[in-house]
Amino acid sequence: MLKKIIGILFLMLITSIPVFCADVIPQYSTNLHTKTYGFYQVSNSIELHEAPDEKSPIVQKINWTKDTITPENLSFDDVFSVFIGSKSLALMAVSDENEDWVKLIYDNKNNKSGWLKKDDPYKFMTWINFYNTYGRKYGLIRLKDAPESCNFLRAQTEDKSQVVSELNHPEYIKLNVIRGNWALVTVVDLDRTPKTGYIRWRSDDGVKYLFPAIR
């Protein structure tokens, strides 16, 4: 009887464990590629070539579901810059592109890349398009190694312009508009008073300080 009870409790514990989800969202600016054009949203089957030509050698084939990826020597973090399994959202960094092809980084640790023929031109998003699409929808988060200057909202898009407010623990950062390397945002902080001003979302050399809070 005791064994039966223990077995039932064990089964209840196993079935209550949430399904594994291998989401990938940048936490640090050093995780983001600085010399890239933006992102491409890939399908579940990826075939990468050595050159932007279907007759060129295939350098890597990748298949994925919301919680598995093959080949098994690659991880979700290796392949994707953003991955939300529940939304089937898989974004890879674009290091080059032309009218029909994109060059995707498929091994983030070793900076390996290959060419993918576009199946939809609208799946390629420049950094500006990506932020305007996902930043406006979900808001922004400050990445953990963002410089201290990102604690301040400024009156203009200049590093030495007047500080209009200091951020402490922002609960929500709403993106209003992107202007160059600056973003006009409205921030709700601990005092619950909305504050609006400019903040750098990336440095002049492409290091990202803020990122869409995709969920």
Side-chain angles (χ1 to χ4, degrees):
M1 183 66 179
L2 180 59
K3 289 183 178 180
K4 185 176 180 180
I5 294 174
I6 293 174
I8 293 172
L9 291 174
F10 179 75
L11 182 61
M12 291 174 62
L13 176 63
I14 293 298
T15 55
S16 66
I17 295 175
V19 176
F20 172 73
C21 190
D23 289 351
V24 176
I25 293 291
Q27 299 294 322
Y28 296 89
S29 61
T30 50
N31 290 346
L32 298 177
H33 300 285
T34 56
K35 296 180 180 179
T36 53
Y37 291 88
F39 289 141
Y40 188 82
Q41 184 174 346
V42 294
S43 63
N44 297 80
S45 181
I46 306 163
E47 186 174 274
L48 300 172
H49 291 258
E50 187 177 283
D53 184 338
E54 289 186 270
K55 295 181 181 179
S56 70
I58 295 173
V59 296
Q60 186 69 66
K61 288 185 177 181
I62 301 168
N63 292 281
W64 59 270
T65 68
K66 68 177 183 178
D67 51 19
T68 64
I69 187 168
T70 55
E72 295 179 355
N73 64 302
L74 291 174
S75 69
F76 285 92
D77 283 22
D78 290 334
V79 176
F80 304 112
S81 295
V82 174
F83 183 83
I84 308 292
S86 60
K87 296 180 179 293
S88 294
L89 178 65
L91 303 178
M92 295 175 68
V94 177
S95 61
D96 199 359
E97 66 107 16
N98 61 31
E99 185 177 352
D100 299 315
W101 294 75
V102 283
K103 191 176 186 181
L104 304 179
I105 299 173
Y106 69 86
D107 187 339
N108 291 317
K109 292 177 183 176
N110 300 299
N111 201 36
K112 294 181 180 179
S113 58
W115 288 90
L116 175 77
K117 189 170 184 180
K118 297 176 182 176
D119 57 2
D120 184 342
Y122 295 102
K123 288 184 177 181
F124 169 60
M125 294 175 285
T126 65
W127 283 110
I128 300 297
N129 290 340
F130 172 70
Y131 274 72
N132 279 330
T133 299
Y134 290 96
R136 289 190 178 208
K137 182 175 182 179
Y138 296 106
L140 302 172
I141 56 170
R142 286 186 302 183
L143 298 177
K144 293 180 179 179
D145 54 350
E148 187 177 353
S149 59
C150 288
N151 294 331
F152 303 100
L153 296 181
R154 298 187 180 275
Q156 299 178 5
T157 56
E158 297 177 3
D159 291 316
K160 295 183 179 180
S161 66
Q162 178 186 356
V163 174
V164 296
S165 182
E166 181 176 358
L167 307 184
N168 295 307
H169 299 282
E171 296 184 357
Y172 184 73
I173 303 176
K174 176 187 176 184
L175 173 63
N176 298 315
V177 66
I178 293 282
R179 291 181 178 168
N181 296 328
W182 293 79
L184 179 64
V185 298
T186 299
V187 179
V188 176
D189 217 328
L190 285 177
D191 60 8
R192 301 294 177 130
T193 303
K195 304 163 186 176
T196 299
Y198 288 98
I199 190 171
R200 269 191 177 272
W201 66 273
R202 69 178 176 186
S203 69
D204 291 335
D205 56 1
V207 178
K208 315 302 181 297
Y209 299 149
L210 286 84
F211 198 81
I214 304 173
R215 55 188 179 275

